[in-house]
Amino acid sequence: MRTVIIIGGGAAGLMAGVVSSQYGNNVILLEKNEKLGKKIYITGKGRCNITNNVPVDEFINNVVGNPKFVFSALNRFSPEDLVDFLTENGLKVKFERGKRVFPESDKASDVTKTFEKALIRNGVDVRLNCKVTDLIVENGTVKGVKTESSEIFGDSVIVCTGGISYPATGSTGDGYTFAGTVGHDVIAPKPSLVGLILKGDLHNDLQGLALKNVTFTAKVDGKTVFSEFGEMLFTHFGVSGPIVLSCSAIINKFQGKNVQLYIDMKPALSEDVLDARVTREFDINRAKSVENAMRSLLPKNLVEPVLKKANVQTYKKCAEITKVERLSIINVLKNFELKFAGLRPIAEAIVTAGGVNVKEINPKTMESKIVKGLYFAGEVIDIDAYTGGFNLQLAFSTGFVAGENA
């Protein structure tokens, strides 16, 4: 009987533990926290967006970091396979907008409990409050791990320690250290799916304002690198919300470059159609101030910032607005610029971009190409995706493949 040691009891580690034990291995799962699945508990705002049940080809389009690397793992264990696995193990799930999958109970804890029961049923030796400090490697082959209190020997080791986002959940970069000490290249970690910091005080005036049905665009040195329709939110530091989080997954690769951000507040209307709409509003409200008339087009808090950017005085009567001023307003409505200052800290990021270099991992097995018997799964690898259940699926898929091959 082979002994498989798993470091980390998050999504990847839980899946690796169940799968590896089903092959008759003696599985030891080591978790430094007092409970398993600590990060799972906070995913999906406590509801746990388990996966996104789209075909693999469509899923790949939502992977930002190294999509080719995860293609094999996703084909081996797809979103559909994950749903089947969970339902077969007693978890009732439901499907929501965008093919996102949640536990029927809306409790992330039920996902972890499902895995815990499967681990017990398969005889996995789960050791909580057990912090691994180092790998034991001899002659290019892993032999086990060192913990704070002992050495544990085995035939293979799977590193499922996560990234460095949300460190309170135990994701403190341990896996990067383990990988680095045995010769792996670790791509510098960067925040992904995180809020954006803005320069100036615009966001202070708009704090708490949510915008729906807008298009958020990012340009780098004038070239569009991201553009998505959806919802966003102004915060105390800048902007956040679904389309902003997705944007962060792209622009984190351009740190130090000239990043420009724009909001199209009326993406459904062309400039000509919008101009006709604004002209009509101004004609109807000829005796009113332009600020007053614009409230039929925008949330109240946005009117003044838009007019300021358009260089139009708020108190000016609609009848006095020139064609040049009106077109300036149209341009701002379609291209409302935000001054980008940076990304929020990685500790606040939903996931970590960066990690163990995929070139040094076999994508079909998740085994290290440098150390025999050493495997990696989940966020510790340099893979990441957009929000919507895609990142958890990557953890489950790579965990499944690692557990199957270890």
Side-chain angles (χ1 to χ4, degrees):
M1 181 185 290
R2 290 175 58 82
T3 294
V4 177
I5 301 168
I6 300 170
I7 311 173
L14 292 172
M15 180 60 78
V18 173
V19 173
S20 189
S21 63
Q22 289 175 339
Y23 280 84
N25 296 311
N26 171 39
V27 179
I28 304 171
L29 196 161
L30 309 175
E31 170 54 57
K32 70 178 182 180
N33 287 316
E34 75 286 355
K35 63 182 179 181
L36 297 172
K38 208 164 181 179
K39 192 172 182 181
I40 291 176
Y41 282 90
I42 63 171
T43 58
K45 296 180 181 177
R47 296 175 60 218
C48 188
N49 185 181
I50 304 165
T51 186
N52 198 295
N53 196 32
V54 294
V56 171
D57 288 348
E58 188 177 335
F59 190 106
I60 289 290
N61 293 332
N62 288 278
V63 179
V64 178
N66 296 303
K68 290 181 181 178
F69 174 81
V70 298
F71 187 78
S72 180
L74 285 167
N75 273 292
R76 180 67 190 91
F77 191 70
S78 67
E80 186 177 356
D81 292 330
L82 175 60
V83 170
D84 289 344
F85 172 90
L86 291 170
T87 53
E88 287 168 6
N89 280 276
L91 182 71
K92 293 181 179 180
V93 302
K94 60 181 177 179
F95 300 85
E96 296 190 1
R97 177 175 53 87
K99 296 194 175 180
R100 296 177 300 163
V101 183
F102 292 87
E104 195 175 88
S105 64
D106 281 333
K107 294 180 180 177
S109 57
D110 285 348
V111 178
T112 303
K113 287 174 184 175
T114 300
F115 278 98
E116 288 176 329
K117 290 175 183 176
L119 292 172
I120 293 169
R121 195 162 55 245
N122 289 297
V124 175
D125 180 2
V126 177
R127 303 181 191 180
L128 302 176
N129 299 302
C130 185
K131 180 176 172 59
V132 174
T133 58
D134 204 357
L135 302 176
I136 301 172
V137 177
E138 296 175 6
N139 300 319
T141 301
V142 72
K143 297 295 183 181
V145 301
K146 293 179 181 179
T147 72
E148 290 179 321
S149 59
S150 65
E151 293 183 345
I152 304 172
F153 295 93
D155 299 286
S156 55
V157 173
I158 309 176
V159 178
C160 306
T161 50
I164 54 174
S165 58
Y166 291 121
T169 64
S171 297
T172 52
D174 299 355
Y176 303 149
T177 303
F178 301 151
T181 56
V182 298
H184 272 280
D185 175 36
V186 177
I187 307 300
K190 299 183 289 290
S192 187
L193 305 185
V194 71
L196 306 183
I197 304 169
L198 299 181
K199 296 176 185 175
D201 57 4
L202 171 69
H203 55 285
N204 293 329
D205 299 332
L206 299 175
Q207 184 177 337
L209 176 65
L211 298 180
K212 296 182 178 181
N213 304 320
V214 297
T215 295
F216 192 73
T217 298
K219 296 183 179 182
V220 176
D221 295 331
K223 180 181 178 182
T224 299
V225 296
F226 175 88
S227 190
E228 189 170 303
F229 174 85
E231 301 177 13
M232 60 175 289
L233 172 73
F234 284 92
T235 69
H236 67 285
F237 56 77
V239 285
S240 189
I243 53 178
V244 173
L245 295 181
S246 292
C247 179
S248 73
I250 299 298
I251 64 174
N252 63 13
K253 298 169 177 57
F254 298 100
Q255 293 186 51
K257 297 266 183 100
N258 180 26
V259 177
Q260 303 131 324
L261 304 175
Y262 301 92
I263 306 171
D264 181 348
M265 297 180 184
K266 301 292 178 182
L269 305 178
S270 67
E271 290 196 7
D272 288 343
V273 172
L274 182 57
D275 184 28
R277 167 91 185 272
V278 171
T279 299
R280 187 167 63 251
E281 289 294 331
F282 287 179
D283 284 344
I284 294 170
N285 298 282
R286 292 178 62 80
K288 294 182 179 179
S289 69
V290 64
E291 180 181 22
N292 199 314
M294 289 288 289
R295 289 179 185 174
S296 64
L297 296 167
L298 292 170
K300 181 180 177 181
N301 290 2
L302 259 180
V303 173
E304 187 176 344
V306 166
L307 292 175
K308 186 176 180 180
K309 283 180 179 289
N311 199 27
V312 176
Q313 294 170 323
T314 57
Y315 58 81
K316 200 169 184 180
K317 295 287 190 293
C318 288
E320 300 170 345
I321 297 296
T322 66
K323 180 180 179 181
V324 171
E325 287 176 322
R326 191 184 72 246
L327 293 179
S328 180
I329 292 171
I330 303 303
N331 181 59
V332 172
L333 288 173
K334 298 292 287 182
N335 301 277
F336 187 88
E337 186 173 5
L338 304 173
K339 301 294 184 182
F340 176 70
L343 302 170
R344 288 294 286 176
I346 198 165
E348 297 178 16
I350 294 175
V351 295
T352 306
V356 183
N357 194 330
V358 298
K359 293 178 181 178
E360 300 169 352
I361 302 171
N362 184 334
K364 292 185 177 180
T365 63
M366 296 298 137
E367 185 176 15
S368 163
K369 294 179 180 179
I370 294 173
V371 178
K372 189 176 180 182
L374 178 63
Y375 297 77
F376 296 96
E379 200 176 339
V380 71
I381 305 172
D382 181 20
I383 52 176
D384 65 287
Y386 290 133
T387 185
F390 299 102
N391 287 286
L392 262 183
Q393 178 68 49
L394 292 181
F396 288 129
S397 291
T398 55
F400 184 97
V401 172
E404 188 176 50
N405 287 280

